[in-house]
Amino acid sequence: MFKQLQVEHSLFLINQDHMNLFKNLAAKWQPVFPDVCAKCLNTLDSWAIVLNNWVFLKSQFTDELILNPSKAINYSINTFLIDELKKIQIIQKTKEFDNDDLQYFVAFQLGNAIDLWVYNTLEKSSEADLLLPQHLKPYFLAHLEDDFQTDNATFHRDQTRAIKILAQVIRSQNSFRITVSSAVNRAVYLYEQHGNK
């Protein structure tokens, strides 16, 4: 499924070389990570989450990888979660490792863990209806649809509703921080088991 990813799935300004490198890593590590956990989004968009996590981690080492300003506005929930990731110490420590393979392991584990955390958080809230439509339609390519610019009020309203819930949980509980830390630790463990072979 990751082979269907396009540059447009990235929230960051990337080129085809970045995409090819990501796809090569996904193919290389497919025996370890055969498929994503797709709870909130469809499978392709869940792979796009892994891609965006990987580019986010790579962006710590270069000035050329920056968030696409228009996508940062359109995909505000993702921008919000990226900003929250930056505040977590273990993510800051991960920046010390300029290693594509390790970054892929971390990106994959983060993608699955955060997807499950968002799903569980929204499912327990009074806004569980937010989970219903996202699984059925493309998410990261929504901005390419002809009617997106004229009929995107629901898309943005739903993201705002989700951010309010997630922000409240992040501010009042440690579940997000614990989720991220556990995902990174699991990624490092798996990398130590498989990455040096």
Side-chain angles (χ1 to χ4, degrees):
M1 183 63 79
F2 63 84
K3 293 176 182 175
Q4 297 176 33
L5 287 171
Q6 307 167 29
V7 168
E8 283 296 333
H9 280 101
S10 176
L11 299 175
F12 294 81
L13 296 170
I14 66 170
N15 58 38
Q16 192 59 46
D17 289 340
H18 294 116
M19 180 59 73
N20 292 341
L21 178 55
F22 175 82
K23 288 182 179 180
N24 288 340
L25 289 166
K28 176 181 178 180
W29 295 115
Q30 196 162 20
V32 179
F33 303 113
D35 211 350
V36 292
C37 168
K39 295 289 279 182
C40 291
L41 303 172
N42 63 52
T43 303
L44 183 58
D45 283 318
S46 293
W47 273 108
I49 293 284
V50 177
L51 166 68
N52 282 296
N53 287 338
W54 180 74
V55 178
F56 162 69
L57 293 170
K58 282 192 72 60
S59 71
Q60 310 308 306
F61 299 97
T62 175
D63 293 334
E64 73 180 50
L65 295 173
I66 59 171
L67 271 173
N68 182 326
S70 65
K71 289 185 182 177
I73 293 169
N74 290 327
Y75 298 95
S76 56
I77 190 168
N78 303 91
T79 307
F80 167 75
L81 289 172
I82 287 170
D83 288 342
E84 291 301 317
L85 281 175
K86 291 177 184 176
K87 299 174 186 176
I88 299 177
Q89 186 174 5
I90 199 165
I91 293 296
Q92 294 171 0
K93 281 192 71 72
T94 307
K95 296 176 190 176
E96 298 170 12
F97 303 104
D98 189 5
N99 177 322
D100 286 333
D101 291 306
L102 177 57
Q103 289 169 343
Y104 180 80
F105 275 59
V106 173
F108 192 95
Q109 291 294 79
L110 277 177
N112 282 348
I114 292 173
D115 179 78
L116 190 56
W117 178 82
V118 169
Y119 181 86
N120 289 336
T121 302
L122 293 178
E123 187 181 46
K124 293 174 191 171
S125 77
S126 60
E127 310 285 344
D129 63 292
L130 288 168
L131 297 170
L132 299 176
Q134 295 303 334
H135 208 77
L136 304 174
K137 57 187 178 186
Y139 174 73
F140 282 104
L141 299 182
H143 67 283
L144 297 178
E145 295 177 7
D146 291 337
D147 61 349
F148 183 77
Q149 295 304 323
T150 56
D151 188 29
N152 62 3
T154 302
F155 186 86
H156 291 293
R157 186 176 62 244
D158 287 350
Q159 291 206 48
T160 301
R161 287 169 60 207
I163 289 171
K164 286 179 182 175
I165 295 161
L166 300 179
Q168 182 179 9
V169 171
I170 287 171
R171 303 291 180 260
S172 63
Q173 302 173 20
N174 285 330
S175 60
F176 183 71
R177 190 175 302 270
I178 290 168
T179 295
V180 170
S181 296
S182 296
V184 173
N185 287 330
R186 175 87 177 136
V188 170
Y189 172 79
L190 288 170
Y191 180 74
E192 289 171 350
Q193 299 298 307
H194 302 279
N196 297 319
K197 294 181 179 178

